[in-house]
Amino acid sequence: AAAIPAAVYMLQDQEAHAAEMERTFIAIKPDGVQRGLISEIVSRFERKGYKLVAIKLIVPSKEFAQKHYHDLKERPFFDGLCDFLSSGPVLAMVWEGEGVIKYGRKLIGATDPQKSEPGTIRGDLAVVVGRNIIHGSDGPETAEDEIALWFEPKELVSYTNNAEKWIYG
Ligand code: ADP
């Protein structure tokens, strides 16, 4: 084993991890933006070790909100939800990392903040389901669709974060 330079092991490790990298769509809703929670929320993803690959502040139209939440169009709260999402600036982001889709949902907490564990974003920072401050894709297909809905491919930035070797080994 001594004959194989350490750099080779590192390259193999990086390649093994690269295969598991995924991206998710995360948005701070108008309530989170207005309440001044952008830095608090961004820092939780950042400190965990995920990589920010796209970010922008936009006010979505109601039609756009309806597209984003199309899965919920039969629900009684759909119209109010779309009015709410389009009522002010939303911070749209794409975060990348190993397991970020599923673990991002863990960081966010349950849909209803009354049921979110303390320590989660909604558990610590929100009180009611209609004002739960953050959105995160709920699976790989949704993540892909939502990233494509909110961002142009050229807005996604590919780069090497030099901390990655300390995060992934
Ligand atoms: P999540 O955002 O956790 O993925 P859902 O996809 O079920 O949850 O719902 C989307 C959003 O719709 C929620 O984040 C919340 O803002 C809103 N919502 C869900 N259930 C209700 C409800 N019963 N009343 C009002 N708004 C709701």
Side-chain angles (χ1 to χ4, degrees):
I4 303 171
V8 173
Y9 284 119
M10 218 163 96
L11 187 64
Q12 285 168 343
D13 276 351
Q14 282 174 345
E15 279 172 352
H17 280 110
E20 294 168 48
M21 284 298 169
E22 55 183 38
R23 288 175 168 183
T24 194
F25 174 71
I26 300 290
I28 304 179
K29 298 179 187 180
D31 49 348
V33 173
Q34 299 288 330
R35 288 179 54 203
L37 295 173
I38 288 176
S39 60
E40 166 73 37
I41 293 170
V42 167
S43 80
R44 291 185 182 214
F45 282 83
E46 213 174 21
R47 287 182 297 168
K48 169 74 176 169
Y50 295 135
K51 179 159 82 174
L52 184 62
V53 296
I55 186 166
K56 65 182 171 187
L57 188 67
I58 53 168
V59 182
S61 66
K62 184 159 180 188
E63 293 67 36
F64 190 92
Q66 288 164 340
K67 267 190 207 162
H68 172 76
Y69 278 129
H70 68 274
D71 279 353
L72 299 172
K73 63 176 179 291
E74 307 302 337
R75 309 295 290 276
F77 54 83
F78 178 69
D79 196 54
L81 176 62
C82 294
D83 278 336
F84 165 60
L85 193 74
S86 57
S87 68
V90 170
L91 191 77
M93 297 174 279
V94 178
W95 286 88
E96 183 182 288
E98 193 168 311
V100 69
I101 299 173
K102 206 166 177 191
Y103 205 89
R105 297 274 296 183
K106 275 196 186 186
L107 291 179
I108 289 170
T111 302
D112 181 354
Q114 297 285 335
K115 296 180 182 142
S116 309
E117 294 297 324
T120 64
I121 291 166
R122 287 169 174 163
D124 289 349
L125 306 170
V127 182
V128 299
V129 70
R131 295 290 181 270
N132 64 3
I133 71 171
I134 181 166
H135 169 83
S137 306
D138 63 7
E141 292 81 23
T142 330
E144 205 173 307
D145 291 351
E146 292 176 349
I147 291 168
L149 177 65
W150 288 78
F151 288 96
E152 308 271 351
K154 67 175 189 301
E155 293 177 299
L156 304 173
V157 183
S158 288
Y159 62 102
T160 302
N161 178 344
N162 286 318
E164 270 164 32
K165 61 175 178 284
W166 303 110
I167 295 165
Y168 294 103

